[in-house]
Amino acid sequence: MGCRQMNELALLYEQAKKAGLNTRLIMEQGLDTNEIKNIIKLHEELNNIFKQEEYLLDLYNENQSEEIKKQLKELSEEVKQIEFKLQKNWHFEQDEKYHTYWYQQPACSCPKLDNIDRFGYEYKVYSRNCILHGGEKWLKKCIMILNSWDF
């Protein structure tokens, strides 16, 4: 590796640190420069989505618009896809059980601590009143859980 490449890599690691990435894990996973750049970019996208959600949530709280609710749910789907891309770039198994940003979204009112405790498990805890995960999705999850029980 030449001096120029070493400098580029050192600069990239500095950017990764500023973005809050675990540089030790970057080395352990053997990530290449493109993967590191992708991860930084994906985190920037997440931050932008969360800012959009905060704005839309304020609007939704003012008038309860179904159109705004639809936009929030679309952003939530984008968050889900970003989590899969992050897992891929980190060389992790692409599995929704290991997603955490879904309940960190500004528009999500699902219980955070309960879902932190369920990291890696199939079942999540949804709030019936959550704009993103409540309503029909909440009801479907309840039915799925009930159907899995032996009575």
Side-chain angles (χ1 to χ4, degrees):
M1 188 178 285
C3 188
R4 183 172 172 260
Q5 290 173 318
M6 290 292 284
N7 286 339
E8 184 180 324
L9 189 59
L11 180 61
L12 189 56
Y13 269 80
E14 194 58 39
Q15 290 174 337
K17 275 186 182 176
K18 285 182 183 177
L21 303 184
N22 183 335
T23 52
R24 189 171 130 228
L25 185 60
I26 289 172
M27 293 176 68
E28 287 175 7
Q29 294 295 96
L31 304 186
D32 64 31
T33 55
N34 285 333
E35 290 164 332
I36 297 168
K37 288 176 183 178
N38 287 341
I39 291 169
I40 292 169
K41 182 179 172 237
L42 290 166
H43 278 279
E44 289 170 356
E45 286 179 36
L46 273 175
N47 288 332
N48 289 335
I49 288 172
F50 283 13
K51 287 176 186 174
Q52 284 179 279
E53 273 193 27
E54 287 172 354
Y55 173 75
L56 289 171
L57 185 58
D58 286 341
L59 291 177
Y60 180 79
N61 288 334
E62 288 176 16
N63 63 20
Q64 307 289 305
S65 164
E66 285 300 314
E67 180 58 35
I68 294 172
K69 187 175 182 178
K70 180 181 174 195
Q71 290 174 8
L72 286 165
K73 287 185 178 208
E74 288 170 0
L75 289 173
S76 181
E77 185 57 35
E78 285 183 45
V79 168
K80 181 178 179 179
Q81 296 310 313
I82 288 172
E83 291 213 63
F84 282 121
K85 291 175 187 176
L86 282 168
Q87 287 174 326
K88 180 179 180 184
N89 280 279
W90 277 107
H91 302 173
F92 293 139
E93 177 184 353
Q94 294 178 54
D95 191 332
E96 199 172 338
K97 292 185 297 195
Y98 300 102
H99 288 189
T100 60
Y101 290 109
W102 71 270
Y103 61 79
Q104 297 178 43
Q105 295 175 84
C108 178
S109 61
C110 296
K112 311 300 184 234
L113 292 177
D114 290 333
N115 284 301
I116 289 170
D117 289 344
R118 282 168 179 73
F119 180 77
Y121 291 95
E122 183 177 349
Y123 297 109
K124 310 292 183 209
V125 179
Y126 298 104
S127 169
R128 179 177 50 182
N129 299 321
C130 178
I131 296 168
L132 302 176
H133 309 110
E136 186 177 313
K137 187 171 187 173
W138 176 82
L139 185 58
K140 284 180 184 177
K141 283 290 182 183
C142 289
I143 291 169
M144 185 179 79
I145 291 168
L146 288 172
N147 287 335
S148 70
W149 292 350
D150 286 331
F151 290 100

